[in-house]
Coordinates of all heavy atoms in Angstrom, one line a residue:
S1 N 13.3 -1.0 1.4 CA 12.3 0.0 1.4 C 11.6 0.0 2.8 O 11.5 -1.0 3.4 CB 11.4 -0.2 0.3 OG 10.7 -1.4 0.5
I2 N 11.1 1.2 3.1 CA 10.2 1.3 4.3 C 8.8 0.9 4.0 O 8.3 1.2 2.9 CB 10.3 2.8 4.8 CG1 11.6 3.2 5.1 CG2 9.3 2.9 6.0 CD1 11.8 4.7 5.4
S3 N 8.2 0.1 4.9 CA 6.9 -0.4 4.6 C 5.9 0.2 5.5 O 6.2 0.8 6.5 CB 6.9 -1.9 4.8 OG 7.8 -2.5 3.8
L4 N 4.6 -0.1 5.2 CA 3.5 0.4 5.9 C 3.0 -0.6 6.9 O 3.0 -1.7 6.7 CB 2.4 0.7 4.9 CG 0.9 0.7 5.4 CD1 0.6 2.0 6.1 CD2 0.0 0.5 4.2
M5 N 2.6 -0.1 8.1 CA 1.9 -1.0 9.0 C 0.4 -0.6 9.1 O 0.1 0.6 9.0 CB 2.4 -0.8 10.5 CG 1.9 -1.8 11.5 SD 2.7 -1.6 13.0 CE 1.5 -0.7 13.9
V6 N -0.5 -1.6 8.9 CA -1.9 -1.3 9.0 C -2.5 -1.9 10.2 O -2.0 -3.0 10.8 CB -2.6 -1.9 7.7 CG1 -2.1 -1.2 6.5 CG2 -2.4 -3.4 7.6
Q7 N -3.5 -1.3 10.7 CA -4.3 -1.9 11.8 C -5.6 -2.3 11.4 O -6.3 -1.6 10.6 CB -4.5 -0.9 12.9 CG -3.2 -0.5 13.6 CD -3.4 0.6 14.7 OE1 -4.0 1.6 14.4 NE2 -2.9 0.4 15.9
I8 N -6.1 -3.5 11.8 CA -7.4 -4.0 11.3 C -8.3 -4.1 12.5 O -7.9 -4.7 13.5 CB -7.3 -5.4 10.7 CG1 -6.3 -5.3 9.5 CG2 -8.6 -6.0 10.3 CD1 -5.9 -6.6 8.9
G9 N -9.4 -3.4 12.4 CA -10.4 -3.4 13.6 C -11.5 -2.5 13.2 O -11.6 -1.9 12.1
N10 N -12.4 -2.2 14.2 CA -13.5 -1.3 14.0 C -13.2 0.1 13.8 O -13.7 0.9 13.0 CB -14.5 -1.4 15.1 CG -15.1 -2.8 15.1 OD1 -15.3 -3.4 14.1 ND2 -15.6 -3.2 16.3
D11 N -12.1 0.5 14.5 CA -11.6 1.9 14.4 C -10.1 1.9 14.6 O -9.6 1.6 15.7 CB -12.3 2.8 15.5 CG -11.9 4.3 15.5 OD1 -11.0 4.6 14.7 OD2 -12.5 5.0 16.3
A12 N -9.4 2.3 13.6 CA -7.9 2.2 13.6 C -7.4 3.1 14.6 O -6.2 2.9 15.1 CB -7.4 2.5 12.2
A13 N -8.1 4.1 15.1 CA -7.5 5.1 16.0 C -7.8 4.5 17.4 O -7.1 5.1 18.4 CB -8.1 6.4 15.8
D14 N -8.7 3.6 17.6 CA -8.9 3.0 18.9 C -7.9 2.0 19.3 O -7.7 1.0 18.6 CB -10.4 2.4 18.9 CG -10.8 1.9 20.2 OD1 -10.1 2.3 21.2 OD2 -11.8 1.3 20.3
N15 N -7.3 2.1 20.5 CA -6.3 1.1 20.9 C -6.8 0.2 22.0 O -6.0 -0.1 23.0 CB -5.0 1.9 21.4 CG -4.3 2.5 20.2 OD1 -4.4 2.0 19.1 ND2 -3.7 3.7 20.4
T16 N -8.0 -0.2 22.0 CA -8.6 -1.0 23.1 C -8.1 -2.5 23.0 O -7.6 -2.9 21.9 CB -10.1 -1.1 23.0 OG1 -10.5 -1.7 21.8 CG2 -10.7 0.3 23.2
D17 N -8.1 -3.2 24.1 CA -7.6 -4.6 24.1 C -8.4 -5.5 23.2 O -8.0 -6.5 22.8 CB -7.5 -5.1 25.5 CG -6.4 -4.4 26.3 OD1 -5.5 -3.9 25.7 OD2 -6.5 -4.4 27.5
N18 N -9.7 -5.1 23.0 CA -10.6 -6.0 22.2 C -10.4 -6.0 20.7 O -10.9 -6.7 20.0 CB -12.1 -5.6 22.5 CG -12.5 -5.8 23.9 OD1 -11.9 -6.7 24.6 ND2 -13.4 -5.0 24.4
E19 N -9.6 -5.0 20.3 CA -9.4 -4.8 18.8 C -8.2 -5.7 18.3 O -7.2 -5.7 19.0 CB -9.1 -3.3 18.6 CG -9.0 -2.9 17.2 CD -8.7 -1.5 17.0 OE1 -9.6 -0.7 17.4 OE2 -7.7 -1.1 16.6
Q20 N -8.4 -6.4 17.3 CA -7.3 -7.1 16.6 C -6.5 -6.1 15.9 O -6.9 -5.3 15.1 CB -7.9 -8.1 15.7 CG -8.3 -9.4 16.2 CD -8.6 -10.4 15.1 OE1 -9.2 -10.0 14.1 NE2 -8.3 -11.6 15.3
K21 N -5.2 -6.3 16.1 CA -4.2 -5.5 15.4 C -3.2 -6.4 14.6 O -2.7 -7.4 15.2 CB -3.4 -4.5 16.3 CG -4.3 -3.5 16.9 CD -3.6 -2.6 17.8 CE -4.5 -1.7 18.5 NZ -3.9 -1.0 19.6
R22 N -3.0 -6.1 13.4 CA -2.1 -6.9 12.6 C -1.3 -6.0 11.7 O -1.7 -4.9 11.3 CB -2.9 -7.8 11.6 CG -3.8 -8.8 12.2 CD -3.0 -10.0 12.8 NE -3.9 -11.0 13.3 CZ -4.2 -11.2 14.5 NH1 -3.7 -10.5 15.5 NH2 -5.0 -12.2 14.9
K23 N 0.0 -6.4 11.6 CA 0.9 -5.6 10.7 C 0.9 -6.3 9.3 O 1.0 -7.5 9.3 CB 2.3 -5.6 11.3 CG 3.3 -4.8 10.5 CD 4.7 -4.9 11.1 CE 4.8 -4.0 12.3 NZ 6.3 -3.9 12.7
A24 N 0.7 -5.5 8.4 CA 0.7 -6.1 7.0 C 1.6 -5.2 6.1 O 1.7 -4.0 6.2 CB -0.7 -6.1 6.4
Y25 N 2.3 -5.9 5.2 CA 3.1 -5.2 4.2 C 2.6 -5.6 2.8 O 2.4 -6.8 2.5 CB 4.6 -5.7 4.3 CG 5.2 -5.4 5.7 CD1 5.1 -6.4 6.7 CD2 5.8 -4.2 5.9 CE1 5.7 -6.1 7.9 CE2 6.3 -3.9 7.2 CZ 6.2 -4.9 8.2 OH 6.8 -4.6 9.4
L26 N 2.3 -4.6 2.0 CA 1.7 -4.8 0.7 C 2.6 -4.2 -0.4 O 3.1 -3.1 -0.2 CB 0.3 -4.2 0.6 CG -0.7 -4.6 1.7 CD1 -1.9 -3.8 1.6 CD2 -1.0 -6.1 1.5
A27 N 2.8 -4.9 -1.5 CA 3.4 -4.3 -2.6 C 2.3 -3.7 -3.5 O 1.2 -4.2 -3.6 CB 4.1 -5.4 -3.4
V28 N 2.7 -2.5 -4.0 CA 1.7 -1.8 -4.9 C 2.4 -1.4 -6.1 O 3.7 -1.1 -6.1 CB 1.2 -0.6 -4.2 CG1 0.2 -0.9 -3.0 CG2 2.2 0.4 -3.7
G29 N 1.8 -1.4 -7.2 CA 2.4 -1.0 -8.5 C 1.4 -0.8 -9.5 O 0.2 -1.3 -9.5
S30 N 1.8 -0.1 -10.6 CA 0.9 0.2 -11.7 C 1.8 0.5 -12.9 O 2.8 1.1 -12.8 CB 0.0 1.4 -11.4 OG -0.8 1.7 -12.6
N31 N 1.3 0.1 -14.1 CA 2.0 0.5 -15.3 C 1.0 0.9 -16.4 O 1.3 0.9 -17.6 CB 2.9 -0.6 -15.8 CG 2.1 -1.8 -16.5 OD1 1.0 -2.0 -16.2 ND2 2.8 -2.5 -17.4
M32 N -0.2 1.3 -15.9 CA -1.2 1.7 -16.9 C -1.8 3.1 -16.5 O -2.0 3.4 -15.3 CB -2.4 0.7 -16.9 CG -2.0 -0.7 -17.3 SD -3.3 -1.9 -17.2 CE -4.4 -1.2 -18.5
G33 N -2.0 3.9 -17.5 CA -2.6 5.3 -17.3 C -1.7 6.1 -16.3 O -0.5 6.1 -16.5
N34 N -2.3 6.9 -15.4 CA -1.6 7.7 -14.5 C -1.2 6.8 -13.3 O -1.9 6.6 -12.4 CB -2.5 8.8 -14.0 CG -1.8 9.8 -13.1 OD1 -0.8 9.5 -12.5 ND2 -2.3 11.0 -13.1
T35 N 0.0 6.2 -13.4 CA 0.5 5.3 -12.5 C 0.5 5.8 -11.0 O 0.1 5.1 -10.1 CB 1.8 4.7 -12.8 OG1 2.8 5.8 -13.0 CG2 1.8 4.0 -14.1
Y36 N 0.9 7.0 -10.8 CA 1.0 7.6 -9.5 C -0.5 7.7 -8.9 O -0.7 7.3 -7.8 CB 1.6 9.0 -9.5 CG 1.6 9.6 -8.2 CD1 2.6 9.3 -7.2 CD2 0.6 10.5 -7.8 CE1 2.6 9.9 -5.9 CE2 0.6 11.1 -6.5 CZ 1.6 10.8 -5.6 OH 1.5 11.3 -4.4
Q37 N -1.4 8.2 -9.7 CA -2.8 8.4 -9.2 C -3.4 7.0 -9.0 O -4.2 6.9 -8.0 CB -3.6 9.2 -10.3 CG -4.9 9.6 -9.7 CD -4.8 10.5 -8.5 OE1 -4.1 11.5 -8.6 NE2 -5.4 10.2 -7.4
N38 N -3.1 6.0 -9.8 CA -3.7 4.7 -9.6 C -3.2 4.2 -8.2 O -4.0 3.6 -7.4 CB -3.2 3.7 -10.6 CG -3.8 4.0 -12.0 OD1 -4.8 4.6 -12.1 ND2 -3.1 3.5 -13.0
I39 N -1.9 4.4 -7.8 CA -1.5 3.9 -6.5 C -2.1 4.7 -5.4 O -2.5 4.2 -4.4 CB 0.1 4.0 -6.5 CG1 0.6 2.9 -7.4 CG2 0.6 3.7 -5.1 CD1 2.1 3.0 -7.7
A40 N -2.2 6.0 -5.6 CA -2.8 6.9 -4.6 C -4.3 6.5 -4.4 O -4.7 6.5 -3.2 CB -2.7 8.4 -5.0
N41 N -5.0 6.2 -5.4 CA -6.4 5.8 -5.3 C -6.5 4.5 -4.6 O -7.4 4.2 -3.7 CB -7.0 5.7 -6.7 CG -7.2 7.0 -7.3 OD1 -7.2 8.0 -6.7 ND2 -7.5 7.0 -8.7
A42 N -5.6 3.5 -4.8 CA -5.6 2.2 -4.2 C -5.4 2.4 -2.7 O -6.1 1.8 -1.8 CB -4.5 1.3 -4.8
L43 N -4.4 3.2 -2.3 CA -4.1 3.5 -0.8 C -5.3 4.1 -0.2 O -5.7 3.8 0.9 CB -2.8 4.3 -0.7 CG -1.6 3.6 -1.2 CD1 -0.4 4.5 -1.0 CD2 -1.4 2.3 -0.5
S44 N -5.9 5.1 -0.9 CA -7.1 5.8 -0.4 C -8.3 4.7 -0.1 O -8.9 4.8 0.9 CB -7.6 6.9 -1.3 OG -8.7 7.5 -0.9
S45 N -8.4 3.8 -1.1 CA -9.5 2.8 -1.0 C -9.3 1.9 0.3 O -10.2 1.5 0.9 CB -9.6 2.0 -2.3 OG -10.1 2.8 -3.3
L46 N -8.0 1.5 0.5 CA -7.7 0.7 1.6 C -8.1 1.3 2.9 O -8.5 0.7 3.8 CB -6.1 0.4 1.7 CG -5.6 -0.6 0.8 CD1 -4.1 -0.6 0.8 CD2 -6.1 -2.0 1.1
Q47 N -8.0 2.7 3.0 CA -8.3 3.4 4.2 C -9.7 3.9 4.4 O -10.1 4.4 5.4 CB -7.3 4.6 4.4 CG -5.9 4.2 4.5 CD -5.0 5.4 4.6 OE1 -4.7 5.8 5.7 NE2 -4.7 6.1 3.5
S48 N -10.5 3.7 3.3 CA -11.8 4.3 3.2 C -12.8 4.0 4.3 O -13.6 4.8 4.6 CB -12.4 4.1 1.8 OG -12.7 2.7 1.7
N49 N -12.8 2.8 4.8 CA -13.8 2.5 5.8 C -13.3 2.6 7.3 O -14.0 2.4 8.2 CB -14.3 1.1 5.6 CG -13.4 0.0 6.0 OD1 -12.2 0.2 6.4 ND2 -13.8 -1.2 5.9
G50 N -12.0 3.1 7.4 CA -11.5 3.4 8.8 C -11.0 2.2 9.5 O -10.5 2.4 10.6
S51 N -11.0 1.0 9.0 CA -10.5 -0.2 9.7 C -9.0 -0.4 9.4 O -8.4 -1.3 10.0 CB -11.4 -1.4 9.4 OG -11.3 -1.7 8.1
I52 N -8.5 0.2 8.3 CA -7.1 0.1 8.0 C -6.5 1.4 8.1 O -7.0 2.4 7.5 CB -6.9 -0.5 6.6 CG1 -7.5 -1.9 6.5 CG2 -5.4 -0.5 6.1 CD1 -7.4 -2.5 5.1
K53 N -5.4 1.6 8.8 CA -4.7 2.8 8.9 C -3.3 2.7 8.3 O -2.5 1.8 8.6 CB -4.5 3.1 10.5 CG -3.9 4.4 10.7 CD -3.8 4.7 12.3 CE -3.2 6.0 12.6 NZ -3.1 6.2 14.0
L54 N -3.0 3.6 7.4 CA -1.7 3.7 6.7 C -0.7 4.4 7.7 O -1.0 5.5 8.1 CB -1.9 4.5 5.5 CG -0.7 4.7 4.6 CD1 -0.5 3.5 3.7 CD2 -0.8 6.0 3.8
L55 N 0.4 3.7 8.0 CA 1.4 4.3 8.9 C 2.6 4.7 8.2 O 3.2 5.8 8.6 CB 1.7 3.3 10.0 CG 0.5 2.9 10.9 CD1 1.0 1.9 12.0 CD2 -0.2 4.1 11.6
Q56 N 3.1 4.0 7.2 CA 4.2 4.4 6.5 C 4.2 3.8 5.1 O 3.5 2.8 4.8 CB 5.5 3.8 7.1 CG 5.9 4.4 8.4 CD 7.2 3.8 8.9 OE1 7.4 2.6 9.0 NE2 8.2 4.6 9.3
T57 N 4.9 4.5 4.2 CA 5.0 4.0 2.8 C 6.5 4.1 2.4 O 7.2 4.9 2.9 CB 4.1 4.9 1.8 OG1 4.6 6.2 1.8 CG2 2.7 4.9 2.2
S58 N 6.8 3.4 1.4 CA 8.1 3.4 0.8 C 8.2 4.5 -0.2 O 7.1 5.1 -0.6 CB 8.5 2.0 0.1 OG 7.7 1.9 -1.0
F59 N 9.4 4.7 -0.7 CA 9.5 5.6 -1.9 C 9.0 4.8 -3.1 O 8.9 3.6 -3.1 CB 11.0 5.9 -2.2 CG 11.6 6.9 -1.2 CD1 12.4 6.4 -0.1 CD2 11.3 8.3 -1.2 CE1 12.9 7.3 0.8 CE2 11.8 9.1 -0.3 CZ 12.7 8.6 0.7
L60 N 8.5 5.5 -4.1 CA 8.1 4.8 -5.3 C 9.2 4.8 -6.3 O 10.0 5.7 -6.4 CB 6.9 5.6 -6.0 CG 5.6 5.6 -5.1 CD1 4.6 6.5 -5.8 CD2 5.0 4.2 -5.0
R61 N 9.3 3.6 -6.9 CA 10.5 3.4 -7.9 C 9.9 3.0 -9.3 O 8.9 2.2 -9.3 CB 11.4 2.3 -7.4 CG 11.9 2.5 -6.0 CD 13.3 2.9 -6.0 NE 13.8 3.0 -4.7 CZ 14.5 4.0 -4.2 NH1 14.7 5.0 -5.0 NH2 14.9 4.0 -3.0
T62 N 10.5 3.5 -10.3 CA 10.2 3.1 -11.7 C 11.0 1.8 -12.0 O 12.3 1.9 -11.8 CB 10.4 4.1 -12.7 OG1 9.6 5.3 -12.3 CG2 10.1 3.7 -14.1
T63 N 10.4 0.8 -12.4 CA 11.1 -0.4 -12.7 C 10.7 -0.9 -14.1 O 9.5 -0.8 -14.5 CB 10.9 -1.6 -11.6 OG1 9.5 -1.9 -11.6 CG2 11.4 -1.1 -10.3
A64 N 11.6 -1.6 -14.7 CA 11.3 -2.3 -16.0 C 10.5 -3.5 -15.8 O 10.6 -4.2 -14.8 CB 12.6 -2.6 -16.8
P65 N 9.6 -3.9 -16.7 CA 8.8 -5.1 -16.6 C 9.7 -6.3 -16.8 O 10.7 -6.2 -17.4 CB 7.8 -5.0 -17.7 CG 8.4 -4.1 -18.7 CD 9.2 -3.1 -18.0
M66 N 9.3 -7.4 -16.1 CA 10.1 -8.6 -16.2 C 9.2 -9.7 -16.9 O 8.0 -9.6 -16.9 CB 10.4 -9.1 -14.8 CG 11.3 -8.2 -14.1 SD 11.7 -8.9 -12.4 CE 12.6 -10.4 -12.8
Y67 N 9.8 -10.6 -17.6 CA 9.1 -11.7 -18.2 C 8.4 -11.3 -19.5 O 8.7 -11.7 -20.5 CB 8.2 -12.5 -17.3 CG 8.9 -12.9 -16.0 CD1 8.5 -12.3 -14.7 CD2 10.1 -13.7 -16.0 CE1 9.2 -12.6 -13.6 CE2 10.7 -14.0 -14.8 CZ 10.3 -13.4 -13.6 OH 11.0 -13.6 -12.4
V68 N 7.3 -10.5 -19.3 CA 6.6 -10.0 -20.5 C 7.1 -8.5 -20.6 O 6.7 -7.6 -19.9 CB 5.1 -10.0 -20.3 CG1 4.4 -9.4 -21.5 CG2 4.6 -11.4 -20.1
T69 N 8.1 -8.3 -21.5 CA 8.9 -7.0 -21.5 C 8.3 -6.0 -22.5 O 8.7 -4.9 -22.5 CB 10.3 -7.2 -21.8 OG1 10.4 -7.9 -23.0 CG2 11.0 -8.1 -20.7
D70 N 7.3 -6.4 -23.3 CA 6.7 -5.4 -24.3 C 5.6 -4.7 -23.7 O 4.4 -4.8 -24.2 CB 6.4 -6.2 -25.6 CG 5.3 -7.2 -25.4 OD1 5.2 -7.7 -24.3 OD2 4.7 -7.6 -26.4
Q71 N 5.8 -4.0 -22.5 CA 4.8 -3.3 -21.9 C 5.5 -2.1 -21.2 O 6.7 -2.1 -21.0 CB 4.0 -4.1 -20.8 CG 4.9 -4.8 -19.8 CD 4.1 -5.6 -18.8 OE1 3.0 -5.3 -18.4 NE2 4.6 -6.8 -18.4
P72 N 4.7 -1.1 -20.7 CA 5.3 0.1 -20.1 C 6.0 -0.3 -18.8 O 5.7 -1.3 -18.2 CB 4.1 1.0 -19.8 CG 3.1 0.5 -20.7 CD 3.3 -0.9 -20.9
N73 N 6.9 0.6 -18.4 CA 7.6 0.5 -17.1 C 6.5 0.6 -15.9 O 5.5 1.2 -16.1 CB 8.7 1.6 -16.8 CG 9.9 1.3 -17.7 OD1 10.2 0.2 -18.1 ND2 10.7 2.4 -17.9
F74 N 6.9 0.0 -14.8 CA 6.0 0.0 -13.6 C 6.5 1.1 -12.7 O 7.7 1.4 -12.5 CB 6.1 -1.3 -12.9 CG 5.3 -2.4 -13.6 CD1 5.8 -3.1 -14.6 CD2 4.0 -2.7 -13.1 CE1 5.1 -4.2 -15.2 CE2 3.3 -3.8 -13.7 CZ 3.8 -4.5 -14.8
L75 N 5.5 1.6 -11.9 CA 5.8 2.4 -10.7 C 5.4 1.5 -9.6 O 4.3 1.1 -9.4 CB 4.9 3.8 -10.7 CG 5.3 4.7 -9.6 CD1 6.7 5.2 -9.7 CD2 4.3 5.9 -9.7
N76 N 6.4 1.3 -8.7 CA 6.3 0.3 -7.6 C 6.6 0.9 -6.3 O 7.5 1.8 -6.2 CB 7.1 -1.0 -7.8 CG 6.8 -1.7 -9.0 OD1 5.6 -2.1 -9.2 ND2 7.7 -2.0 -9.9
G77 N 6.0 0.3 -5.2 CA 6.3 0.7 -3.9 C 5.8 -0.3 -2.9 O 5.3 -1.4 -3.3
A78 N 5.9 -0.1 -1.6 CA 5.5 -0.9 -0.6 C 4.7 -0.1 0.5 O 5.1 1.0 0.7 CB 6.6 -1.7 0.0
V79 N 3.8 -0.7 1.0 CA 3.0 -0.1 2.1 C 2.9 -1.2 3.2 O 3.0 -2.3 3.0 CB 1.6 0.4 1.7 CG1 1.8 1.5 0.7 CG2 0.8 -0.7 1.1

């Protein structure tokens, strides 16, 4: 899957040498309520203060639960 790169610093749009930049890959998933909206809200929250910039996301996939199987399917992706 394609993943997201995030920038950590005071202003994600600023490319100064003083700014720390890190690439991070995060797994996201939900199996409760409106699963798509839960993931969208989580991604929005990550970017809310401007220090994390979402660059790419994977496709979302529906997957069956593992180990504890008596629960709803998950919607999963990576950022």
Side-chain angles (χ1 to χ4, degrees):
S1 63
I2 300 171
S3 296
L4 155 81
M5 188 173 101
V6 296
Q7 292 178 310
I8 301 171
N10 292 332
D11 182 354
D14 183 12
N15 289 326
T16 65
D17 291 334
N18 296 332
E19 187 177 295
Q20 275 189 322
K21 295 179 185 171
R22 300 282 188 257
K23 184 184 281 190
Y25 301 92
L26 304 172
V28 294
S30 176
N31 76 335
M32 298 177 66
N34 184 335
T35 55
Y36 178 83
Q37 191 62 53
N38 291 340
I39 292 170
N41 290 344
L43 297 180
S44 179
S45 292
L46 280 171
Q47 298 182 93
S48 65
N49 73 356
S51 64
I52 296 177
K53 183 178 179 183
L54 181 86
L55 300 180
Q56 289 183 311
T57 63
S58 71
F59 290 103
L60 295 174
R61 305 256 185 229
T62 300
T63 59
M66 297 179 65
Y67 313 113
V68 180
T69 58
D70 61 340
Q71 58 180 321
N73 286 341
F74 283 82
L75 187 62
N76 294 308
V79 295

